[in-house]
Amino acid sequence: MSTNDFQDRGVVVTGAGSGIGRATALQFAARGARVLVADLDRARAEQTVADITAGGGTAVAVVGDLSEQAVVDEVVRTAVETFGGLDVLVNNAGIMDSMSAAADVTDTEWERVIRVNLTAPFLLTRAALPHMLAAGKGAIVNTASEASLRGSAAGAAYTASKHGIAGLTKSTAVMYRAQGVRTNAIAPGGTVTNIQVNADRDALGPAVLGSYMGNVGKPASAEEQAAAIVFLASDAASNINGVVLAVDNGWSAV
Ligand code: NAD
């Protein structure tokens, strides 16, 4: 496979200031892509852009909360104007919940987790699709989770949001498969990043989940998750559409 297989393609990576998103942005850039780094955190987003540029690559940052339509519109407009098109969308930005069981989830926690982990990827998918359909090609990769596959990997809000993004992945894959747009997801198991469990957890959730956590296996690096995202977006995955690929050292196989 060519190391420049994404040469001059326009790629949007959300949450690219940290963890899996940052590693993904760097890997796309190393393979020739022009990368839009979208993140809430200005300093981290600008650091990722600086690192790509220092390596001879092309990148631009858009800073803002992706759960807001105006920020989503700015991301897509900037990608299209700067890169001349939008070939790949990686919906990766996400937040953890407090691991709480349903009876203890507040309205605030529920709405924020669903908004960031599920609604924001929907808004970006909706905004990106017209450009991909006009080009007759495109690839969307969503960062789902082990919590997309089972009920014992996180609290109620996060688990619902990540099952939701698995559904969005499959629906989008089916609806647009005749028009050249592929949509897939990775489902990371435990991965070493900056994601934090909210400190406001109740007692029941962690107690129940803790009893199921023995099968997690070896934690992944952000780079291992990024490699799977880049593969799913690449032409090497040209007939892969609608999968939720576990990258979890076999946790989901236990
Ligand atoms: P991370 O915290 O290191 O990075 C997430 C990035 O997303 C941060 O830079 C943050 O600023 C950004 N972000 C968060 N909310 C945002 C918003 N509303 N708008 C714009 N940017 C926002 O975490 P990570 O582990 O790299 O997480 C990436 C994805 O991987 C998430 O969707 C997460 O749910 C998923 N995931 C992580 C793990 C794990 O163990 N780390 C496991 C399964 C799934």
Side-chain angles (χ1 to χ4, degrees):
M1 184 191 300
S2 163
T3 52
N4 289 327
D5 55 344
F6 285 93
Q7 194 65 44
D8 296 334
R9 294 191 192 176
V11 176
V12 167
V13 182
T14 74
S18 175
I20 296 168
R22 175 181 156 81
T24 301
L26 292 170
Q27 288 187 21
F28 273 119
R31 289 164 70 156
R34 299 188 272 200
V35 183
L36 188 147
V37 171
D39 206 288
L40 201 50
D41 186 309
R42 175 173 299 280
R44 285 179 171 175
E46 290 178 349
Q47 186 63 55
T48 302
V49 169
D51 291 344
I52 289 173
T53 308
T58 304
V60 61
V62 172
V63 176
D65 185 339
L66 294 158
S67 70
E68 295 173 13
Q69 182 70 58
V71 176
V72 166
D73 291 343
E74 190 190 346
V75 165
V76 173
R77 186 176 59 246
T78 303
V80 171
E81 285 177 7
T82 311
F83 304 148
L86 177 47
D87 299 285
V88 176
L89 168 64
V90 180
N91 282 308
N92 167 79
I95 52 173
M96 196 47 191
D97 67 4
S98 65
M99 302 287 243
S100 291
D104 293 296
V105 178
T106 64
D107 286 359
T108 304
E109 177 179 2
W110 179 265
E111 281 156 18
R112 184 65 185 159
V113 171
I114 297 290
R115 185 89 196 156
V116 173
N117 291 1
L118 180 56
T119 304
F122 157 68
L123 294 176
L124 275 152
T125 298
R126 186 173 65 181
L129 274 167
H131 300 282
M132 293 180 172
L133 295 172
K137 61 185 170 65
I140 300 171
V141 184
N142 297 319
T143 301
S145 171
E146 192 75 19
S148 302
L149 309 174
R150 58 178 72 240
S152 59
Y158 186 88
T159 302
S161 74
K162 292 296 187 178
H163 273 66
I165 199 159
L168 177 66
T169 299
K170 292 175 189 176
S171 172
T172 310
V174 169
M175 295 288 189
Y176 297 100
R177 69 175 181 166
Q179 289 145 282
V181 178
R182 296 184 300 108
T183 306
N184 293 290
I186 62 160
T191 306
V192 181
T193 69
N194 292 313
I195 206 163
Q196 302 276 347
V197 175
N198 181 329
D200 298 333
R201 60 183 87 174
D202 66 285
L204 177 64
V208 171
L209 297 175
S211 66
Y212 291 106
M213 287 289 186
N215 298 318
V216 172
K218 179 172 167 282
S221 65
E223 288 72 22
E224 289 176 299
Q225 301 297 344
I229 291 174
V230 173
F231 165 68
L232 288 172
S234 76
D235 293 345
S238 55
N239 200 36
I240 301 178
N241 195 21
V243 306
V244 180
L245 178 65
V247 184
D248 66 352
N249 194 28
W251 185 9
S252 57
V254 176

